[in-house]
Amino acid sequence: MKLSTKIIIALIAGAVTGLVMNLYGSSLFPLLDSFLFTPLGKLFLNLINMLVVPIVFFSITLGAAGLGDPKKLGRIGLKTISYFLITTAIAITIGISLSYFLQPGTIGQFDLSTAQYEAKEAPPIADTLLNIIPTNPVRAFTEGNMLQIIAFSICIGFALSALGNKVKGVYRIIEQGNDLMMFLVNTVMKLAPLGTFGLIASAVGKQGFDAMKAMGLYMTVVLLALLLHSIFTYGGSVALFARKNPIEFFKGFAPAMGVAFSTSSSNATLPVSMNVAQKNLKVPESISSFVQPLGATINMDGTAIMQGVATIFIAQVVGADLTLTQLITVVLTAVLASIGTAGVPGVGLVMLAMVLQTVNLPVEGIALIIGVDRLLDMTRTAVNITGDAACAVIVAESERKLEENQIVQPNLYEEETAV
C-alpha cells in the first residue's frame, strides 16, 4: 500500500474516531486523548519539527550554490514572489465574492457582546524586511526564524559558488548533511499515518459537533473557496504555464497535502513537501530548495481566503456595509500582511486582526470563528503548501525552457557564421 493511501485512510479513521468520541464517548475521550491521540500526534510533529531548520539550511545553501549565477537566482526570486502575491490577491478575492454570494453572517444568531479576543500586534512590514538579514545567525537558528535562516543560507550558497574548488570540502559536507536529512525525512514519514490519525482524532474530538453545526455555513464558504482556488488557480496555472496535467500534479503531491492537513503547519510539513515535489513532481532540487521554503514562510493563500470570508462574515454579523474602497483595502492589506507577519505565531489570526482594524470592524468578532478555526486551519495549510509546489513546478518549467532557448541560439548563430 502506498504511503499516500495509508495517510488518507488514517485521516478518515481519525476523523470518524474523533467524531464518534465527541458524540458518544465524551467521558472516555479525555483519557484516550491524553494517553493515545495527543502523544501519537506530538511524537510525529516533534520528529518533523526537529528536521525543519537543518533541512532548510542545507537545501537552500545547496540550491543557491547550484544556481550559481546571481542573475538566475534573482530571476527565480522575482517569478516566485510575483506568483505568491498574485495568487494571494486572487485567493482573498474568491473568499470575499463567495461570502457576499452565500452570506454566512446573516444565518443564525451571533452575540458579540460576550465575545472577547485580544489582538496580537503584528510587526510593521518595513521592520520585517529590514530584519531579514540576521545580526546573529546562531540566534536565528535557535529561534527558528525562517526568513533570516533563508537569507543566511543564500549568502553561504553564493560564497560556495564563488569560491569553487577552494571550499569543495565544505560543499561536500553540506551535500552529505542534506542527504542525511532526506534519509531521516523518509524514515520519519513511515510514522506519518499514525501521527495523522492521532492529530485528526484529537482535533475533531475537541472541536465538537455542536460548534461545527453552529458555524456550518461559514465553514462551508471557507472550504468551497479553498477548493475553487486549488482547482482553478493552482490547477489552471500548472496547466497553462507548466503544461502539466493538473490531476497528475494533485495526485503526485497528495502525500504532502495529507501531512499538512494533519499538522496544520507549513513549516512542519516543509521537509515532506520538498521531498515529494522533487521525487513525484520532478522539480529540480535547486529550485525546490529555494521556492518551497520561501513559500512556507510568506505564501498564505489559504489563510488569505479565511481572512476574506471572516471579514465579510463579521461585517454581516454586525450589520456593516463595506464600500468598494474598503474591500480593495482588505485585499491589499491581506496581501502585504502575508509578508509582514511571516514567522509570527498564530499568523492567520494576527493577519485577520490587522485586516479588521484597517476597515474598522470589531476585532472581538474573531472570537466567533476560533471555535472552528483549528479544523479550517488544517485545510488551508494543505492549500498553502500546494501553492508553493505549484509555483515550484511553474518556475522549474520556465527555467527549463529558458535554458533550452539559450542552447539553441548559439547553435543557430554558429550555423549562420559557417555559411
Side-chain angles (χ1 to χ4, degrees):
M1 190 182 294
K2 290 183 178 180
L3 180 62
S4 57
T5 306
K6 291 180 182 178
I7 291 173
I8 291 170
I9 292 173
L11 284 171
I12 297 170
V16 171
T17 302
L19 196 57
V20 169
M21 294 301 297
N22 183 269
L23 293 174
Y24 305 109
S26 55
S27 59
L28 185 60
F29 175 74
L31 185 65
L32 286 174
D33 187 44
S34 297
F35 292 98
L36 180 62
F37 301 148
T38 296
L40 276 177
K42 199 157 189 178
L43 174 65
F44 177 65
L45 264 181
N46 288 350
L47 286 169
I48 287 290
N49 280 321
M50 173 183 71
L51 304 175
V52 171
V53 170
I55 207 168
V56 167
F57 171 69
F58 288 132
S59 61
I60 289 189
T61 300
L62 287 176
L67 293 173
D69 185 6
K71 290 182 180 178
K72 185 175 182 180
L73 185 60
R75 185 174 66 242
I76 290 173
L78 181 61
K79 291 176 185 177
T80 301
I81 294 174
S82 298
Y83 183 88
F84 289 160
L85 294 178
I86 291 170
T87 55
T88 300
I90 293 172
I92 195 169
T93 303
I94 291 173
I96 290 173
S97 302
L98 273 179
S99 298
Y100 272 115
F101 182 70
L102 296 176
Q103 300 196 359
T106 60
I107 306 296
Q109 299 294 321
F110 302 99
D111 185 10
L112 271 182
S113 61
T114 58
Q116 290 185 343
Y117 178 79
E118 186 177 344
K120 296 179 182 177
E121 186 176 350
I125 295 173
D127 287 355
T128 301
L129 295 176
L130 289 173
N131 290 332
I132 288 176
I133 306 299
T135 54
N136 185 342
V138 175
R139 187 171 64 186
F141 277 82
T142 56
E143 294 177 352
N145 189 319
M146 284 300 161
L147 282 177
Q148 292 189 352
I149 293 170
I150 289 170
F152 180 70
S153 303
I154 290 173
C155 292
I156 297 295
F158 270 147
L160 288 173
S161 176
L163 294 173
N165 289 331
K166 289 182 180 179
V167 289
K168 191 174 181 180
V170 177
Y171 181 88
R172 183 62 182 155
I173 289 172
I174 293 176
E175 200 172 41
Q176 290 173 338
N178 189 60
D179 292 340
L180 182 62
M181 290 301 110
M182 285 302 178
F183 172 80
L184 291 176
V185 168
N186 289 326
T187 303
V188 170
M189 279 303 293
K190 293 177 182 178
L191 297 174
L194 288 175
T196 297
F197 171 80
L199 289 165
I200 297 299
S202 179
V204 174
K206 287 175 182 175
Q207 291 299 302
F209 188 70
D210 291 338
M212 289 186 281
K213 187 168 61 175
M215 296 290 289
L217 187 54
Y218 167 78
M219 292 181 69
T220 300
V221 174
V222 174
L223 292 173
L224 183 57
L226 291 169
L227 179 64
L228 291 175
H229 187 64
S230 297
I231 293 173
F232 292 105
T233 306
Y234 296 153
S237 62
V238 166
L240 182 64
F241 299 112
R243 304 296 180 186
K244 305 284 186 183
N245 186 335
I247 296 175
E248 293 299 318
F249 166 76
F250 288 117
K251 184 179 176 182
F253 198 62
M257 294 170 69
V259 173
F261 186 82
S262 60
T263 61
S264 299
S265 171
S266 296
N267 283 340
T269 315
L270 184 57
V272 180
S273 60
M274 288 174 58
N275 196 24
V276 170
Q278 292 168 21
K279 284 187 174 180
N280 295 356
L281 304 181
K282 309 303 179 187
V283 178
E285 187 176 336
S286 58
I287 292 176
S288 168
S289 299
F290 177 81
V291 173
Q292 289 180 275
L294 185 61
T297 307
I298 68 171
N299 183 41
M300 301 174 187
D301 291 359
T303 306
I305 284 172
M306 178 274 288
Q307 290 161 4
V309 176
T311 300
I312 304 305
F313 170 76
I314 293 169
Q316 290 169 353
V317 167
V318 300
D321 291 325
L322 298 180
T323 64
L324 179 61
T325 303
Q326 286 178 310
L327 291 176
I328 294 172
T329 302
V330 168
V331 174
L332 293 175
T333 304
V335 171
L336 293 174
S338 66
I339 298 175
T341 55
V344 176
V347 65
L349 296 179
V350 172
M351 290 168 65
L352 178 57
M354 288 178 62
V355 172
L356 293 175
Q357 289 167 347
T358 304
V359 291
N360 298 316
L361 288 174
V363 175
E364 292 78 15
I366 294 176
L368 296 175
I369 66 172
I370 283 180
V372 294
D373 191 64
R374 177 68 175 86
L375 294 175
L376 294 176
D377 191 23
M378 295 190 291
T379 310
R380 63 178 182 253
T381 301
V383 171
N384 287 344
I385 67 154
T386 305
D388 303 340
C391 181
V393 168
I394 291 168
V395 170
E397 181 63 18
S398 68
E399 288 298 307
R400 185 187 66 80
K401 288 181 180 178
L402 188 63
E403 287 174 4
E404 285 180 355
N405 290 336
Q406 288 175 342
I407 292 172
V408 170
Q409 290 299 329
N411 291 340
L412 292 173
Y413 176 77
E414 287 171 7
E415 288 175 8
E416 288 174 2
T417 306
V419 170

